[in-house]
């Protein structure tokens, strides 16, 4: 949604790591999965809100703003903890969050499917969704029609943050620890998947199903690298190549549409 609204968030990887550490620390202190999740969501949503306010109120370019946020989060997590926050509570519910199954379906898949369905319905079946596409396609026209585009962008930033909160807790459950370096490079993978799925960096065009296919393609490539026994550093190279090629194809497509 954020990229459709013609903005970008490069702080998601750093926020993901910080969220896992905070969530695990609260879980250790309270032995309450609900409080741990609330703390993680509150922190991640707060990061999204801060990014949104910097972009909409201070008029800082989202690329620059979120690079700054990323750097602050990467440093801040080491002020919060110098090492991984280990699991000291052994809550079954927390373990199930990342490794549990409902029948044969993994819990993370169910969580992702629910979020995906809600987001798809919002984009395709609601006025809010149409406005998000409109703010990316032509923000000036939307503003002249009486809609406050800043609020839509702020909503997209906060929603991105909340999704990072959910992902951070699932990842910390899978690792059974809050790891300060867990999210390194995730922001590049995210952007590569979104662009590969057909979403334009210029905004106004894209789909969740395309993004889902982009994620699946990147993961198939990652698994193929492992199965073939190639150097796993290639897993970081592939998203970079994908970003360049997909952006180039987007430019070509935009020029063709303009004609």
């Amino acid at each position: 949604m954020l990229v459709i609204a013609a903005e970008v968030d490069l702080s998601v990887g750093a926020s993901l790591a910080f969220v896992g550490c905070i969530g695990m620390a609260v879980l250790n202190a309270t032995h309450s999965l609900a409080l741990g999740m609330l703390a993680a969501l509150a922190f991640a949503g707060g990061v999204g809100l801060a990014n949104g306010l910097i972009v909409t109120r201070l008029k800082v370019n989202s690329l620059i703003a979120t690079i700054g946020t990323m750097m602050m989060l990467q440093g801040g997590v080491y002020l919060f903890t110098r090492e991984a926050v280990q699991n000291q509570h052994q809550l079954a519910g927390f373990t199930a969050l990342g490794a549990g199954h409902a029948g044969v379906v993994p819990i993370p898949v169910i969580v992702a499917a629910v979020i995906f369905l809600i987001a798809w319905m919002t984009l395709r079946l609601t006025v809010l969704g149409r406005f998000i596409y409109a703010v990316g396609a032509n923000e000036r026209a939307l503003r002249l029609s009486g809609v406050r585009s800043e609020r839509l962008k702020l909503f997209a930033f906060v929603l991105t943050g909340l999704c990072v909160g959910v992902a951070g807790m699932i990842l910390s459950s899978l690792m059974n620890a809050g790891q300060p370096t867990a999210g390194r490079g995730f922001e590049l993978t995210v952007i590569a998947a979104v662009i590969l799925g057909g979403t334009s960096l210029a905004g106004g065009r894209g789909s969740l199903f395309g993004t889902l296919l982009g994620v699946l393609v990147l993961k198939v490539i990652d698994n193929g690298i492992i199965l073939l026994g190639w150097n796993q550093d290639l897993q970081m190279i592939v998203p970079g190549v994908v970003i360049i090629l997909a952006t180039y194809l987007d430019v070509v497509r935009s020029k063709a549409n303009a004609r």
Side-chain angles (χ1 to χ4, degrees):
M1 288 189 186
L2 189 60
V3 178
I4 289 173
E7 301 294 348
V8 68
D9 187 351
L10 292 180
S11 69
V12 292
S15 182
L16 185 79
F18 212 147
V19 162
C21 293
I22 287 178
M24 185 64 76
V26 172
L27 280 166
N28 287 338
T30 65
H31 294 273
S32 169
L33 179 59
L35 289 177
M37 287 294 299
L38 284 174
L41 291 174
F43 178 82
V47 171
L49 179 63
N51 284 332
L53 291 174
I54 292 170
V55 172
T56 59
R57 297 296 174 87
L58 302 183
K59 305 302 180 183
V60 178
N61 179 277
S62 62
L63 183 68
I64 303 302
T66 55
I67 286 176
T69 306
M70 176 183 70
M71 295 173 70
M72 288 188 286
L73 290 170
Q74 287 177 343
V77 72
Y78 284 105
L79 292 176
F80 180 75
T81 177
R82 284 287 175 180
E83 56 188 15
V85 183
Q86 301 297 333
N87 184 349
Q88 299 173 5
H89 50 77
Q90 304 302 326
L91 293 173
F94 177 72
T95 303
L97 184 63
H101 289 73
V104 297
V105 183
I107 296 296
V109 172
I110 296 174
V111 174
V114 170
I115 293 174
F116 182 93
L117 180 61
I118 293 172
W120 179 84
M121 292 176 65
T122 301
L123 277 176
R124 291 298 178 183
L125 305 177
T126 69
V127 174
L128 173 62
R130 289 194 288 272
F131 282 165
I132 289 174
Y133 276 101
V135 74
N138 194 328
E139 183 177 359
R140 185 169 182 271
L142 186 69
R143 195 179 291 126
L144 290 174
S145 68
V147 179
R148 299 186 64 174
S149 60
E150 291 84 2
R151 290 187 177 182
L152 293 168
K153 291 188 176 185
L154 192 60
F155 167 79
F157 272 107
V158 173
L159 185 61
T160 298
L162 293 174
C163 287
V164 170
V166 175
M169 289 302 290
I170 291 176
L171 183 61
S172 63
S173 173
L174 285 168
M175 297 188 301
N176 204 32
Q179 177 58 256
T181 60
R184 290 282 170 86
F186 272 34
E187 61 279 344
L188 299 179
T189 303
V190 168
I191 292 173
V194 171
I195 297 175
L196 183 61
T199 300
S200 172
L201 276 176
R205 186 176 69 247
S207 73
L208 283 171
F209 282 103
T211 298
L212 177 61
L213 289 175
V215 171
L216 293 176
V217 167
L218 288 177
K219 291 298 103 181
V220 167
I221 292 173
D222 282 352
N223 289 336
I225 291 171
I226 294 171
L227 292 174
L228 291 171
W230 293 354
N231 191 321
Q232 292 190 26
D233 290 336
L234 288 170
Q235 291 178 327
M236 288 299 299
I237 296 174
V238 169
V241 175
V242 168
I243 288 175
I244 294 173
L245 290 178
T247 303
Y248 169 71
L249 292 175
D250 179 55
V251 170
V252 172
R253 184 167 59 239
S254 296
K255 289 181 178 179
N257 291 337
R259 297 195 194 102

